[in-house]
């Protein structure tokens, strides 16, 4: 009898989009020309990809729920961003968008963990061995609710959120200047979980 090979769930890197990968815009990213990539994020993403770890993007996009933009336009811009990242060597496996506003009480809007749980279910991921990097307290709360490690970057809203993150997190979340600065910690967590 031959043995059946099973594949253990793998660790992954989850990234918020606006403020981590691309610059935040005060009036939302409404068109491709509004997109400005954060260079350090691209370098870090390539390094994570070269190390063999999958990357997923999870992004609240309340611009849809507020009626400012239709979902298909947001999805189109998001797909263009993901394709641009892939062309730069960043191995984005999939991107998830929550189109709701907080009042919708959905499971996917961060700080709820729905997008991370969905990605784990669809891609065989072990959230307890995964890392989520964001620029907002709710990103870290989503990580914690999903059982993943959370890290804050000071890009985007991160610098303004840092004191609140430190107060609420009581030191459990690490804070970094940008994604590249967080890279050694990210790789240590992901590779320590192999």
């Amino acid at each position: 009898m031959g043995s059946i090979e099973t594949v253990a769930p793998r660790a992954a890197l989850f990234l918020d989009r606006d403020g981590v990968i691309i610059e935040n815009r005060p009036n939302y990213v409404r068109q491709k020309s509004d997109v400005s990539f954060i260079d350090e994020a691209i370098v870090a993403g390539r390094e994570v990809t070269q190390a063999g770890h999958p990357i997923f993007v999870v992004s609240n996009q309340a611009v849809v729920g507020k009626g400012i933009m239709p979902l298909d336009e947001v999805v189109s811009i998001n797909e263009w961003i993901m394709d641009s990242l892939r062309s730069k060597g960043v191995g984005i496996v999939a991107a998830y968008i929550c189109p709701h506003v907080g009042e919708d009480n959905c499971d996917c809007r961060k700080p709820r963990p729905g997008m991370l749980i969905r990605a784990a279910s669809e891609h065989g991921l072990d959230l307890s061995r995964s890392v989520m990097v964001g620029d907002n307290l709710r990103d870290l709360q989503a990580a914690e609710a999903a059982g993943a490690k959370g890290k804050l970057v000071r890009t985007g809203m991160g610098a303004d959120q840092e004191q609140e993150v430190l107060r609420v997190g009581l030191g459990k979340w690490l804070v970094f200047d940008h994604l590249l600065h967080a890279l050694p910690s990210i790789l240590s967590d992901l590779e320590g979980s192999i």
Side-chain angles (χ1 to χ4, degrees), residues 69-80:
M69 287 180 68
L71 180 59
D72 63 331
E73 285 183 28
V74 172
V75 168
S76 176
I77 291 170
N78 201 59
E79 288 174 355
W80 179 82

Side-chain angles (χ1 to χ4, degrees), residues 100-191:
H100 307 108
V101 292
E103 297 78 31
D104 290 338
N105 207 26
C106 65
D107 291 332
C108 55
R109 184 170 175 77
K110 296 175 288 182
R112 292 194 172 146
M115 289 186 283
L116 285 81
I117 291 169
R118 181 175 165 205
S121 174
E122 292 177 358
H123 297 277
L125 306 176
D126 182 346
L127 291 171
S128 71
R129 297 168 43 222
S130 297
V131 176
M132 168 78 200
V133 180
D135 69 327
N136 193 297
L137 175 61
R138 67 178 161 257
D139 297 321
L140 307 182
Q141 290 169 326
E144 183 174 47
K149 297 169 191 76
K151 300 180 190 302
L152 182 80
V153 289
R154 292 185 182 105
T155 51
M157 295 185 291
D160 292 336
Q161 290 273 307
E162 183 174 358
Q163 289 308 312
E164 182 71 1
V165 164
L166 293 174
R167 185 186 67 74
V168 172
L170 300 173
K172 65 183 162 194
W173 295 311
L174 299 177
V175 180
F176 300 92
D177 288 337
H178 46 70
L179 195 59
L180 187 57
H181 185 225
L183 182 63
S185 178
I186 292 166
L187 290 175
S188 176
D189 285 343
L190 294 174
E191 291 169 4

